[in-house]
Amino acid sequence: MATTISNPPYNMKWQHPFFAQSQERFMLGVPPESNANYAFILTALSKQDKAVFLLPNGVLSTNNKEEQAIKASLVEKNYLEAVISLPDKMFESTSIPTSLLIFNKKKQTSNILMINASSLATEEIREQRGQVGSKSHTSRVYKKKVNVLSDDAISKVMSLLDKPVNERGLSKVVSIETIKEQDYVLTPNRYIEMKQETVQHTSMERLVKQLNRVSAEKGAVKLTINRKMANDLGLMPLIKLLQESGQTSKELNEQFKGDGLILNDENLVTLTNNKTFKIEVKKWNELPDIIVMFAQMWKQLMVTCNNEENRYLMELRDIMLERYFK
């Protein structure tokens, strides 16, 4: 049986073709123009009986009305064979958590296998060289932590796909009726029985160390932004959360007096009424990922604009030459 395997662009905008409702691939519904995730799925299933997609976890519990209807139809028609949730930080370019969705229009059972592969992940440190900037940056080696699935972990997942069984904390064979009762949410952990473990708290010293490590990552870049701009960009809820986090750290520092423990409570965002949008790099020993990504995007834009500018300049030069040498 031929199988389509795809890792399409995530959450990409697209345009409905004319008479989309009449196309065979959209018989289960037309995905919204704001997101093409389900358009890729439906297109593949219109051509193949089996398809495997690597997609962001948003497809599993979408709130979009059109996507919800399509997801319900895929379940009800018994096209979905398995959902495998993967650990976050698997990719070097993004930390977004993803899942594998396996579709089979000719499956031999009416159940759906849910697998939590995140529980099988191990951490690996990979080295990268800077791609932009001065020689001191491009020759520097950066270390990045990523989550990986070992060969043994992959073999375990494959064995579950061959012979689906229930394993606490790892897998669950779920009926379509059960998924329907859960409003067609496809997140594996919604159904998998988690292992019962005795909670052993980390020492306060280690927790404070870890909290300050995360705080340092958050504070690698400080933002000063116009209040209205922040509101128009939809940043105010996040800024409020960051401010509340800082306030919590200050309150805990008051309680820690005498214990020798200090949490970082530095302000990460400054709101201003001035027409200001300023990004300040606070971490120089290792350039923050967001600055590296910005530099790469800026470089690409500048190259494109420069090429276009050169084309116009050459055309202008030709016009001037014709004017002065007639």
Side-chain angles (χ1 to χ4, degrees), residues 100-114:
L100 284 169
L101 286 83
I102 301 176
F103 297 92
N104 186 353
K105 292 161 67 175
K106 295 184 178 180
K107 53 190 282 200
Q108 301 301 309
T109 173
S110 61
N111 296 323
I112 297 173
L113 176 63
M114 298 289 179

Side-chain angles (χ1 to χ4, degrees), residues 56-263:
N57 285 351
V59 301
L60 306 179
S61 57
T62 175
N63 291 321
N64 180 273
K65 182 174 65 175
E66 291 88 354
E67 290 182 332
Q68 280 184 320
I70 294 169
K71 178 156 60 79
S73 295
L74 289 168
V75 172
E76 291 288 352
K77 285 189 172 293
N78 202 27
Y79 287 172
L80 183 61
E81 188 167 40
V83 179
I84 305 171
S85 64
L86 300 172
D88 60 355
K89 298 180 181 179
M90 282 198 74
F91 308 105
E92 296 179 12
S93 58
T94 178
S95 61
I96 185 172
T98 57
S99 291
L100 284 169
L101 286 83
I102 301 176
F103 297 92
N104 186 353
K105 292 161 67 175
K106 295 184 178 180
K107 53 190 282 200
Q108 301 301 309
T109 173
S110 61
N111 296 323
I112 297 173
L113 176 63
M114 298 289 179
I115 299 177
N116 174 25
S118 299
S119 62
L120 302 175
T122 55
E123 192 174 76
E124 180 179 284
I125 297 178
R126 295 178 182 170
E127 294 185 347
Q128 296 175 318
R129 291 188 179 275
Q131 300 298 311
V132 295
S134 63
K135 186 176 180 180
S136 62
H137 174 58
T138 55
S139 62
R140 185 185 301 176
V141 176
Y142 297 89
K143 294 183 178 180
K144 188 176 184 69
K145 294 180 180 179
V146 295
N147 289 319
V148 299
L149 294 176
S150 65
D151 290 343
D152 289 341
I154 294 172
S155 296
K156 180 62 178 177
V157 171
M158 295 301 296
S159 69
L160 287 170
L161 291 172
D162 290 337
K163 295 181 180 180
V165 293
N166 297 335
E167 287 196 27
R168 187 182 290 272
L170 179 60
S171 63
K172 183 76 173 181
V173 180
V174 186
S175 69
I176 289 177
E177 188 60 33
T178 299
I179 292 177
K180 183 178 180 180
E181 291 172 358
Q182 294 294 324
D183 200 24
Y184 299 98
V185 172
L186 299 177
T187 306
N189 280 350
R190 175 70 68 95
Y191 307 95
I192 296 173
E193 297 175 3
M194 303 309 293
K195 294 180 180 179
Q196 299 295 325
E197 297 179 353
T198 302
V199 177
Q200 294 183 345
H201 292 294
T202 308
S203 67
M204 287 183 62
E205 291 78 7
R206 180 169 173 76
L207 283 173
V208 169
K209 182 179 179 180
Q210 293 297 334
L211 282 168
N212 283 336
R213 177 185 60 79
V214 175
S215 179
E217 288 295 322
K218 289 168 60 179
V221 174
K222 184 176 180 181
L223 197 63
T224 302
I225 186 171
N226 173 269
R227 192 179 301 272
K228 184 177 184 305
M229 178 187 289
N231 186 63
D232 291 344
L233 292 173
L235 297 178
M236 292 303 288
L238 174 60
I239 292 173
K240 184 179 179 182
L241 284 175
L242 293 174
Q243 290 173 337
E244 291 174 352
S245 176
Q247 182 60 34
T248 299
S249 295
K250 289 180 180 179
E251 293 172 358
L252 286 173
N253 280 335
E254 287 294 320
Q255 298 178 29
F256 287 159
K257 282 183 177 178
D259 292 329
L261 302 175
I262 301 176
L263 286 171

Side-chain angles (χ1 to χ4, degrees), residues 274-287:
N274 297 328
K275 294 181 178 179
T276 302
F277 181 51
K278 182 171 66 174
I279 299 174
E280 180 183 358
V281 176
K282 305 283 288 184
K283 180 180 177 183
W284 286 98
N285 58 324
E286 182 178 333
L287 206 59

